[in-house]
Amino acid sequence: MTFIRRGTMTAAAMALGLTLTACGNLTGESSGKDSSGPIKLGMLTPLTGSSAAIGPYMKDGAQLAVDEINAKGGIDGRKLSLTVEDEACDPKTAAAGAAKLVSAGIDISVGGYCSSATLPTLSIFDKANIPMLIPAANSTDLLAPEQRNVFMINGTGIQQAEAASKFIKKQGSKRVALLDDNTSYSTDIANRTGDQLGLLGVKIADHQSVTAGESDYSGAVNAVLDSKADFVYWTGYYQEGGLLIKQLKAAGYKGRIMIADGSVDAKLVKIAGRKNAQGVFATMTQTPQTIPDGQAWVDKYKKKFGSEPGPYSTQSYDAVRVAAEAVRKAGSTDGDDVIRALEKIDGFEIFSGPLKFTIQHTLSVGGFDILVVKDDNFVLDK
């Protein structure tokens, strides 16, 4: 997959951010954990299920950061290790995976793709006092428990809804159909987009929730056609998104279509059909292919793993780097110490820009851009 965009992070800044020197003191940890063994990171990501294609992107992005930090000596001489478990975008699978990671003695969680699957892991990691740096899942439902151990590396559903609404309004659309898959992530974005569009004076012609995993979405397609919508925004994942695009086009829909970040994958183009996918818009956060000087990172990733990085490879890479920086600053892997260090981070360079968490532990800078399908790729819409 190829992305092209503007951005703020230069190669020099990225290199500077990667220099994690051994200046922290990791002795005498209050948690009683081994202060000389590896710093254990855990990741939940979909390795099975309809979103399994995302898992390798996240796992490999995180592993690349682990390997780079370890090559520089680790943190105060301690190497990082990464343990990966399946979340399958399924709450029960994710909860079981989180329990395995806790049993494995991880210090920090750097995973979480599907919001609905990430939600039940919050209490598991909170009970174990394990900080969570969530690289992909971004439903605002994740913030509702107000757990101090939860931090988001991705933009929030609020930010995505704002970007989508402004773009739809700018396109001059009068009647918008919203389609979600009835999951936390998807409904959060759809509902918030609907609210934002209402404030902008744009009519919501239809709002349908479909069932993930089905192959026939004719009911939702017919509802969209009957509503005379001139713009459709799908907020679910690429498997269903590709089918919806294909079936909308086959039914004669002529308006614009946009997808949320969970559907930004080359597989959507394949499922929808290359011709049907042309001109489909997307709301998406920063990727290595869409920032100046990002090609050097892409080349490193390709050299190591033999494939192009995909969605959330960069956020996962950054989650590891931020975790390492927090341990370095804390001089400890104790949960409370790491959480306090994360709250104090100010200016650490990640792909979306200088990092500083808000009081809600979300990104203070770095939002969503509009991409568009051109040929087989997602490129920055101009």
Side-chain angles (χ1 to χ4, degrees), residues 36-372:
S36 60
I39 299 165
K40 298 180 179 180
L41 306 180
M43 168 174 278
L44 288 168
T45 189
L47 301 176
T48 61
S50 61
S51 294
I54 300 295
Y57 297 145
M58 294 179 63
K59 176 175 67 71
D60 291 347
Q63 189 63 54
L64 180 58
V66 167
D67 292 346
E68 289 179 346
I69 293 167
N70 285 344
K72 295 178 181 293
I75 307 300
D76 200 20
R78 292 178 65 183
K79 298 297 182 70
L80 275 60
S81 67
L82 178 67
T83 302
V84 181
E85 294 289 346
D86 188 17
E87 69 155 49
C89 281
D90 172 71
K92 290 184 178 179
T93 303
K100 289 180 182 178
L101 292 177
V102 172
S103 295
I106 69 163
D107 299 301
I108 303 171
S109 169
V110 292
Y113 173 67
C114 287
S115 295
S116 58
T118 304
L119 276 167
T121 71
L122 299 184
S123 59
I124 296 172
F125 289 128
D126 181 49
K127 185 177 180 180
N129 199 30
I130 294 173
M132 298 179 67
L133 283 160
I134 303 175
N138 62 359
S139 170
T140 48
D141 289 345
L142 297 169
L143 303 174
E146 297 184 350
Q147 293 179 197
R148 62 186 295 266
N149 67 316
V150 175
F151 297 80
M152 288 189 183
I153 297 295
N154 193 15
T156 65
I158 294 173
Q159 292 169 323
Q160 185 157 197
E162 290 175 348
S165 302
K166 289 178 182 177
F167 180 75
I168 293 169
K169 174 69 173 180
K170 188 176 180 180
Q171 295 299 300
S173 295
K174 304 298 183 183
R175 299 176 63 82
V176 178
L178 300 171
L179 296 173
D180 66 62
D181 66 4
N182 211 29
T183 63
S184 171
Y185 152 79
S186 186
T187 56
D188 180 56
I189 298 171
N191 290 336
R192 291 181 183 279
T193 301
D195 292 342
Q196 289 289 324
L197 287 172
L199 294 174
L200 294 174
V202 180
K203 181 177 178 59
I204 303 302
D206 187 50
H207 186 171
Q208 297 282 321
S209 295
V210 305
T211 301
E214 294 187 349
S215 59
D216 182 3
Y217 293 109
S218 57
V221 168
N222 290 333
V224 169
L225 295 177
D226 291 343
S227 74
K228 301 188 185 307
D230 58 15
F231 200 112
V232 172
Y233 186 33
W234 163 248
T235 61
Y237 297 96
Y238 65 80
Q239 181 70 35
E240 294 76 22
L243 290 173
L244 280 164
I245 292 168
K246 183 177 183 178
Q247 292 171 23
L248 280 166
K249 294 287 188 177
Y253 176 73
K254 303 297 184 183
R256 295 181 177 90
I257 300 174
M258 186 162 69
I259 58 175
D261 58 337
S263 281
V264 179
D265 190 281
K267 289 180 176 59
L268 177 127
V269 178
K270 184 176 182 179
I271 295 168
R274 194 170 187 262
K275 182 178 179 180
N276 293 330
Q278 298 308 297
V280 169
F281 297 103
T283 45
M284 185 63 187
T285 47
Q286 294 78 8
T287 71
Q289 296 96 334
T290 60
I291 62 171
D293 304 317
Q295 189 59 44
W297 190 90
V298 173
D299 290 343
K300 285 193 300 183
Y301 184 102
K302 289 172 64 177
K303 182 178 180 180
K304 185 172 184 64
F305 302 111
S307 61
E308 289 270 353
Y312 305 107
S313 55
T314 52
Q315 286 90 343
S316 300
Y317 176 84
D318 278 339
V320 170
R321 295 177 57 243
V322 173
E325 175 69 1
V327 171
R328 183 184 71 81
K329 285 185 172 294
S332 166
T333 54
D334 173 71
D336 291 330
D337 292 343
V338 172
I339 290 168
R340 283 191 289 268
L342 287 168
E343 290 174 334
K344 293 177 181 178
I345 285 179
D346 189 356
F348 184 74
E349 285 286 349
I350 61 175
F351 276 102
S352 59
L355 176 63
K356 181 178 176 62
F357 288 110
T358 67
I359 194 171
Q360 292 84 19
H361 294 180
T362 60
L363 295 180
S364 58
V365 297
F368 288 80
D369 288 321
I370 305 298
L371 306 182
V372 63

Side-chain angles (χ1 to χ4, degrees), residues 2-5 290 370-374 377-381:
T2 302
F3 299 79
I4 304 170
R5 61 155 275 152
T290 60
I370 305 298
L371 306 182
V372 63
V373 175
K374 183 177 181 181
N377 305 311
F378 286 88
V379 300
L380 185 69
D381 178 60

